[in-house]
């Protein structure tokens, strides 16, 4: 009997590139599980424990039978109010709980924001190097990501001129992430203002990913878009969460803040997709936002110390060009100087090949710039223990000596 061939993976999903950062992380972890002393600079998560007051709040919530039920799909009212309060003033008003949607991590906020505003064929400007999830999410929503590259010569920051050159009559949105993953670049208050005013003038949405807002160093000020340009509130969606500021990656609590019509549409999508975020995790996130904040500063100090250490060690590698990042917990090195050269009898012609070579020859996991739309670079996360940091970068120094 002949069998009718079955339609398999949809064109839409077949076009998705799996997360390269997760792939490298998995390869590093597999080698480690096999007994290899791998040092992993790939993952984007703080290596601190979640602060005790937050864990305690979750323990209390676990014993509270009200936690065993669904919360409203949009999230617990108290948590939405706490997020609104944290934002403070949004445009000319204080946001209410109706302007906030609690999501399953910042990632779901990114996905739902794209789904809420993008129509088929809409173009979204995407400053590159970009977080690897953005282009896939834009494409899933039917949009066209338009990378606007800002390389090491422009401190990894796009200008209004570059954005304007990429703008067409199909441009509907700009993704903005400061401090940035993967570069750690932080836009100055003046730069945020200039970009916000340009977006406002041109009727362009800004998807402002503020997830690293608590992590800036050297006294650098992080000014959110809604503060720099309050008038933009009606075309701004803020994406954020507890993952990076409170060492809560595994808890999966994020949020989006924006105009009520968009939040309502995204909430309708979420009501069919995941419903509410884990009730206990929401109560933990409420404690994170409303409880003592000392731990945030302590973690920032530890990151700052490691930032200086890793950059000073990387700067000793001549084949790399490593600028000092001002925020987040990533370093983004240009590795052009290492390409096409013989290293341990092997030659890497791309940063992707170089990342493989580094993993094989030094047992050090780094993410190649290909994952962020800019080949020729590697990203290292310094959310690792000090001794691992020193050991890992010493191995790179020896490999490239
Ligand atoms: N935005 C950026 C720029 C990120 O780097 C991440 C995490 N890698 C997120 C959003 C999402 O974080 P989460 O889903 O863990 O809250």
């Amino acid at each position: 009997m002949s069998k009718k061939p079955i339609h398999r993976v949809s064109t839409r999903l077949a076009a998705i590139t799996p997360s390269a950062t997760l792939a490298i992380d998995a390869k590093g972890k597999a080698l480690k599980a096999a007994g290899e002393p791998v040092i992993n600079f790939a993952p984007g998560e703080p290596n601190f424990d979640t602060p005790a007051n937050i864990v305690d709040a979750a323990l209390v919530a676990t014993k509270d039978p009200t936690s065993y039920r669904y919360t409203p799909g949009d999230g617990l009212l108290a948590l939405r109010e706490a997020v609104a309060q944290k934002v403070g003033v949004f445009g000319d008003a204080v946001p209410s709980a109706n302007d906030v949607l609690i999501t399953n991590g910042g990632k779901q906020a990114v996905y739902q924001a794209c789904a809420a505003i993008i129509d088929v064929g809409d173009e979204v400007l995407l400053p590159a190097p970009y977080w690897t999830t953005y282009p896939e999410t834009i494409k899933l929503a039917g949009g066209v990501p338009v990378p606007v590259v800002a390389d090491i010569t422009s401190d990894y920051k796009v200008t209004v001129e570059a954005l304007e050159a990429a703008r067409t009559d199909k441009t509907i949105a700009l993704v903005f992430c400061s401090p940035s993953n993967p570069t750690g670049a932080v836009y100055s208050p003046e730069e945020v203002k200039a970009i916000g005013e340009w977006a406002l003038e041109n009727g362009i949405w800004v998807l402002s990913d503020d997830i690293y807002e608590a992590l800036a160093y050297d006294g650098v000020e992080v000014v959110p878009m809604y503060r720099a340009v309050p008038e933009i509130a009606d075309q701004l969606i803020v994406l954020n969460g507890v993952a990076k500021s409170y060492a809560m990656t595994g808890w999966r609590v994020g949020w989006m803040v924006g105009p009520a019509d968009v939040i309502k549409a995204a909430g309708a999508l979420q009501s069919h997709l995941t419903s509410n975020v884990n009730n206990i995790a929401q109560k933990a996130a409420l404690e994170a936002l409303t409880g003592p904040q000392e731990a945030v500063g302590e973690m920032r100090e530890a990151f700052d110390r490691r930032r200086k250490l890793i950059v000073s060690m990387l700067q000793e590698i001549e084949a790399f060009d490593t600028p000092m990042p001002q925020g987040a917990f990533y370093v983004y090195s240009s590795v052009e100087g290492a390409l096409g050269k013989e290293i341990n009898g092997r030659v890497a012609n791309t940063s992707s090949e170089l990342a493989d070579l580094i993993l094989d020859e030094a047992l050090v996991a780094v993410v190649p710039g290909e994952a962020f739309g800019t080949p020729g670079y590697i990203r290292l996360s310094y959310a690792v223990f000090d001794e691992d940091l020193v050991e890992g970068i010493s191995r790179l120094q020896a490999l490239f000596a």
Side-chain angles (χ1 to χ4, degrees), residues 73-143:
D74 291 352
L76 288 169
L77 182 61
L79 180 56
R80 286 189 290 142
E81 281 172 352
V83 170
Q85 222 158 35
K86 173 180 150 51
V87 166
V89 180
F90 195 75
D92 54 7
V94 177
S96 77
N98 289 340
D99 306 315
V100 179
L101 175 62
I102 306 301
T103 58
N104 198 56
K107 212 171 235 185
Q108 190 177 16
V110 173
Y111 179 89
Q112 290 179 173
C114 287
I117 61 165
I118 297 173
D119 272 318
V120 174
D122 286 345
E123 292 179 1
V124 178
L125 299 183
L126 186 55
Y130 48 69
W131 179 40
T132 188
T133 287
Y134 298 138
E136 304 311 316
T137 312
I138 294 165
K139 283 189 274 176
L140 263 176

Side-chain angles (χ1 to χ4, degrees), residues 7-17 111 120 136 138-143:
H7 173 74
R8 305 210 58 93
V9 176
S10 68
T11 318
R12 226 172 49 258
L13 291 210
I16 299 179
T17 314
Y111 179 89
V120 174
E136 304 311 316
I138 294 165
K139 283 189 274 176
L140 263 176

Side-chain angles (χ1 to χ4, degrees), residues 250-337:
W251 297 77
R252 312 309 303 138
V253 185
W255 53 81
M256 42 193 294
V257 184
D261 54 347
V262 168
I263 293 300
K264 195 169 160 215
L269 168 62
Q270 182 166 305
S271 76
H272 294 295
L273 190 64
T274 55
S275 300
N276 66 269
V277 172
N278 177 312
N279 193 330
I280 295 164
Q282 288 191 64
K283 287 171 183 160
L286 179 61
E287 170 65 19
L289 292 188
T290 57
Q293 300 296 305
E294 283 75 23
V296 178
E298 284 161 22
M299 289 189 273
R300 181 173 43 233
E301 269 173 36
F303 282 136
D304 189 16
R305 200 187 58 246
R306 294 172 189 169
R307 173 183 72 114
K308 289 176 181 142
L309 181 61
I310 196 169
V311 170
S312 71
M313 289 187 75
L314 284 169
Q315 284 178 343
E316 285 174 31
I317 301 175
E318 259 178 45
F320 291 6
D321 190 353
T322 307
M324 178 66 87
Q326 293 185 311
F329 41 67
Y330 306 104
V331 188
Y332 207 61
S333 296
S334 163
V335 293
E336 289 292 345

Side-chain angles (χ1 to χ4, degrees), residues 84-264:
Q85 222 158 35
K86 173 180 150 51
V87 166
V89 180
F90 195 75
D92 54 7
V94 177
S96 77
N98 289 340
D99 306 315
V100 179
L101 175 62
I102 306 301
T103 58
N104 198 56
K107 212 171 235 185
Q108 190 177 16
V110 173
Y111 179 89
Q112 290 179 173
C114 287
I117 61 165
I118 297 173
D119 272 318
V120 174
D122 286 345
E123 292 179 1
V124 178
L125 299 183
L126 186 55
Y130 48 69
W131 179 40
T132 188
T133 287
Y134 298 138
E136 304 311 316
T137 312
I138 294 165
K139 283 189 274 176
L140 263 176
V144 181
V146 177
V148 181
V149 176
D151 65 12
I152 194 167
T153 58
S154 41
D155 299 330
Y156 303 129
K157 293 193 273 191
V158 291
T159 58
V160 165
E161 291 69 38
L163 293 172
E164 180 58 22
R167 185 175 66 87
T168 72
D169 55 7
K170 291 197 178 134
T171 308
I172 64 130
L174 162 72
V175 177
F176 186 73
C177 181
S178 170
S180 149
N181 174 9
T183 66
V186 183
Y187 285 78
S188 72
E190 297 74 32
E191 289 164 341
V192 180
K193 192 167 189 309
I195 289 173
E197 283 174 350
W198 168 84
L200 184 64
E201 200 177 304
N202 290 291
I204 290 173
W205 280 95
V206 177
L207 303 185
S208 183
D209 187 338
D210 296 355
I211 201 135
Y212 294 100
E213 67 179 353
L215 296 174
Y217 317 104
D218 298 333
V220 162
E221 199 189 351
V222 177
V223 175
M225 186 63 84
Y226 53 84
R227 286 272 144 67
V229 188
E231 312 86 295
I232 204 171
D234 198 42
Q235 60 195 69
L236 175 69
I237 305 175
V238 175
L239 313 166
N240 207 333
V242 291
K244 316 288 175 169
S245 307
Y246 299 98
M248 290 179 73
T249 43
W251 297 77
R252 312 309 303 138
V253 185
W255 53 81
M256 42 193 294
V257 184
D261 54 347
V262 168
I263 293 300
K264 195 169 160 215

